[in-house]
Amino acid sequence: MQQRENIRNIAIIAHVDHGKTTLVDAMLWQSGLFRANESVPERIMDSIDLEREKGITIMAKNTAIAYKGVHINIVDTPGHADFGSEVERTLTLVDGVLLLVDAAEGPLPQTRFVLKKALEAGLPPIVVINKIDRSDARPVEVLDEVYDLFIDLDAAEDQLDFPVLYTNARVGTATRDLKEPGQSLEPLFETILTTVPAPRFDPAMGLQFRAAMLDWDDYVGRVIIGRIVSGRVRQADRVAVVRRDGAVEYAKVTVLYGYEGLKRIEIAEAGAGDLVAIAGIEAIEIGETVADAETPVALPLIRIDEPTVSMLFSANVSPFAGKEGRFVTSPQLRERLMKEKRVNVGIRVEETDSPDAFRVSGRGELQLAILIEMMRREGFEVEVGKPTIITREEGGRTLEPMEHLVIDIPEEHIGAVTQKIGPRRGAMAKMVNHGTGRVRLEYRIPARGLIGYRTEFLTDTRGTGLLNHLFDGWDEWQGEIAHRQNGALVADRGGRATAYAIDNLQARGVMFVAPGLEVYEGMIVGENARDSDLDVNITKEKKLTNMRASTADEATKLTPPRVMNLEQCLEWVREDELLEVTPKSLRLRKRALAGRRRF
């Protein structure tokens, strides 16, 4: 086996919001990639608008820096378990991982999830404890927790002998010793060169390239991103595509791209160990191999975690359909979902009995919510049903997905949280009090017990709690779990909501609409204080007479309506209800709009 000493491939793994993308920013700046006066946005790797808004990485992306003549490819991975399919593919591209942990929060479930995948792949880790400038930082205890985590995940002895660095990613400093303040990220670059092995390859083997990510370019069409495991590839080469079932098809490389900083640059040829993007191969799926045309040999396929949550997507057929979006018909919806399926292996799309409805399955509510949000921004109008859990049958028993739930809350909220998790069939596995006024609770809970809980949790903990969960295998059906306790207030006719009607209805529950908003029959306009649904006339106007009374002109005092975001709407909706999503609005409605059909 030969090595290419001038290349290093490394993935950065961390929990959501531990500073991964900020650290990549600092590494790019200190590698001399940008001019001193160049205008560069913060969190430059979060290229999707949604990533910037939510502060999370959704799609795995790669960049490259040069340090002392070595080309370092850095892959930024998502930290959320819902995007696990991105992580598993990413780890096939690299030879080492950089584990980033918050100096105050310590390792959290998603850190565990990605690290487990990396250790299983036998990748050597570098541990970076970030945010050491935080007032509540406890780097020494966090390092102990990291060791416990490695032991818990059955790390090999050589994996336990990892280098540790302490960083402040925001100012771009790293140090090996807490007593000595860091000056730059040079210790980190040096550690990467000494810890991460150079790519190894067999010179006798022909071309082997595994498709790990897909992209689209309007000029050259489909672009496949991956790593050359062995051999060389040049522009205009004839190559073989080895399918999952072993079938072989032939194609031609029209354009070959390499990475330099954040830019994709056209190159003439690339060899083993390089991360490249290839255009010209239209018919290829993620995990399949591009091989030598004369002697095609396939690489092992990538195994991806099964989806656990499914949702019905259908074309918008409400009375307001087509008023706000550009894409309304079911063929347009079908084409968009099939395109997502081709690019995103974590999502499955199945046809249903109805030509207008499609069952979309993913790893979690968040993944499906991100897909819906991206579609509405593209101009789609769509109706979605309640998220449902995917079960499986085994030996006559019904199994459902379980989650490992980790909750970090102030001590005074323990009662409120445990009281809510009990009816959701959560079993406490562990309780740790750090002595800092915050407590960490760990539960094993059915995945469906978490649907609709996040909003309640944030209310119960007044926004101070942290809630994280991770897929934890399958178990027997845990019994019924009550969903929403309250019924809905449903508009019994179309029209414009009035302040007079809302004023009279406020005693019945919480309103979702403001005066002046257009409503239609069957649209949900509020949450009933009782458990049953109630049809209401929200368009009722005050009758004017020519008689005056002392109370006639009293001002109406209205409570502001409850405005819910996409995730909250998905948590709120019941089986007999739908969420209508358009580029401008989110409307809750009953499946059957006419009152006589519902009752």
Side-chain angles (χ1 to χ4, degrees), residues 265-283:
I265 53 166
E266 204 172 315
I267 53 175
E269 65 171 320
D274 283 324
L275 299 193
V276 295
I278 296 175
I281 305 170
E282 286 297 316

Side-chain angles (χ1 to χ4, degrees), residues 3-11 27 62-75 93-97 124 126 188-200 227 259 272-275:
Q3 290 194 169
R4 285 192 68 185
E5 292 298 338
N6 62 340
I7 291 182
R8 296 289 186 279
N9 297 320
I10 189 164
M27 292 172 80
N62 41 320
T63 181
I65 59 174
Y67 178 76
K68 290 188 177 175
V70 178
H71 189 77
I72 303 174
N73 288 306
I74 304 168
V75 186
L93 301 174
V94 297
D95 301 302
V97 291
I126 298 170
L188 177 60
F189 290 132
E190 292 292 343
T191 308
I192 290 172
L193 296 192
T194 53
T195 308
V196 179
R200 293 163 65 86
R227 172 178 169 170
Y259 287 90
D274 283 324
L275 299 193

Side-chain angles (χ1 to χ4, degrees), residues 39-50:
S39 171
V40 181
E42 270 191 33
R43 302 204 319 274
I44 196 166
M45 290 291 277
D46 285 349
S47 53
I48 304 173
D49 288 345
L50 262 178

Side-chain angles (χ1 to χ4, degrees), residues 150-266:
F150 270 77
I151 292 163
D152 199 21
L153 293 175
D154 297 328
E157 275 193 35
D158 57 330
Q159 288 175 325
L160 279 169
D161 188 20
F162 51 77
V164 182
L165 291 124
Y166 302 93
T167 63
N168 178 353
R170 189 164 290 188
V171 295
T173 61
T175 178
R176 290 190 177 89
D177 188 350
L178 278 169
K179 295 181 186 126
E180 296 175 20
Q183 303 300 320
S184 69
L185 289 178
E186 196 164 319
L188 177 60
F189 290 132
E190 292 292 343
T191 308
I192 290 172
L193 296 192
T194 53
T195 308
V196 179
R200 293 163 65 86
F201 65 98
D202 183 352
M205 284 296 290
L207 172 66
Q208 283 186 310
F209 167 95
R210 185 193 281 120
M213 289 180 262
L214 297 177
D215 201 355
W216 180 265
D217 186 294
D218 290 336
Y219 296 103
V220 296
R222 204 169 200 188
V223 177
I224 315 144
I225 302 159
R227 172 178 169 170
I228 301 173
V229 177
S230 61
R232 297 190 76 74
V233 64
R234 296 171 188 81
Q235 287 209 21
D237 269 3
R238 185 169 175 268
V239 292
V241 178
V242 186
R243 301 241 163 248
R244 284 181 178 272
D245 57 4
V248 178
E249 290 175 15
Y250 295 93
K252 182 184 172 186
V253 177
T254 54
V255 192
L256 184 65
Y257 297 102
Y259 287 90
E260 188 179 286
L262 296 164
K263 294 193 279 287
R264 207 185 266 172
I265 53 166
E266 204 172 315

Side-chain angles (χ1 to χ4, degrees), residues 169-396:
R170 189 164 290 188
V171 295
T173 61
T175 178
R176 290 190 177 89
D177 188 350
L178 278 169
K179 295 181 186 126
E180 296 175 20
Q183 303 300 320
S184 69
L185 289 178
E186 196 164 319
L188 177 60
F189 290 132
E190 292 292 343
T191 308
I192 290 172
L193 296 192
T194 53
T195 308
V196 179
R200 293 163 65 86
F201 65 98
D202 183 352
M205 284 296 290
L207 172 66
Q208 283 186 310
F209 167 95
R210 185 193 281 120
M213 289 180 262
L214 297 177
D215 201 355
W216 180 265
D217 186 294
D218 290 336
Y219 296 103
V220 296
R222 204 169 200 188
V223 177
I224 315 144
I225 302 159
R227 172 178 169 170
I228 301 173
V229 177
S230 61
R232 297 190 76 74
V233 64
R234 296 171 188 81
Q235 287 209 21
D237 269 3
R238 185 169 175 268
V239 292
V241 178
V242 186
R243 301 241 163 248
R244 284 181 178 272
D245 57 4
V248 178
E249 290 175 15
Y250 295 93
K252 182 184 172 186
V253 177
T254 54
V255 192
L256 184 65
Y257 297 102
Y259 287 90
E260 188 179 286
L262 296 164
K263 294 193 279 287
R264 207 185 266 172
I265 53 166
E266 204 172 315
I267 53 175
E269 65 171 320
D274 283 324
L275 299 193
V276 295
I278 296 175
I281 305 170
E282 286 297 316
I284 188 169
E285 296 300 323
I286 284 170
E288 293 178 345
T289 306
V290 175
D292 190 63
E294 306 301 324
T295 52
V297 180
L299 289 162
L301 290 167
I302 307 170
R303 192 190 66 78
I304 288 154
D305 280 354
E306 295 285 308
T308 56
V309 176
S310 74
M311 231 187 249
L312 274 177
F313 281 56
S314 54
N316 187 9
V317 292
S318 83
F320 292 173
K323 288 188 176 181
E324 295 172 2
R326 289 186 298 138
F327 308 112
V328 188
T329 63
S330 51
Q332 288 169 330
L333 174 65
R334 183 182 190 281
E335 189 184 333
R336 175 64 181 85
L337 290 174
M338 291 306 170
K339 178 186 166 193
E340 186 68 28
K341 180 186 172 184
R342 284 198 299 273
V343 177
N344 186 348
V345 278
I347 279 185
R348 278 195 200 151
V349 181
E350 299 160 273
E351 308 263 2
T352 61
D353 301 337
S354 162
D356 293 342
F358 306 89
R359 183 171 297 284
V360 181
S361 310
R363 272 287 301 119
E365 266 178 287
L366 178 66
Q367 189 183 22
L368 296 176
I370 294 283
L371 171 62
I372 296 167
E373 184 63 44
M374 287 168 96
M375 286 173 66
R376 76 182 284 211
R377 289 180 185 210
E378 290 164 20
F380 280 85
E381 287 194 13
V382 63
E383 288 181 344
V384 294
K386 177 179 183 256
T388 54
I389 293 301
I390 298 170
T391 57
R392 53 159 79 155
E393 297 292 326
E394 211 170 272

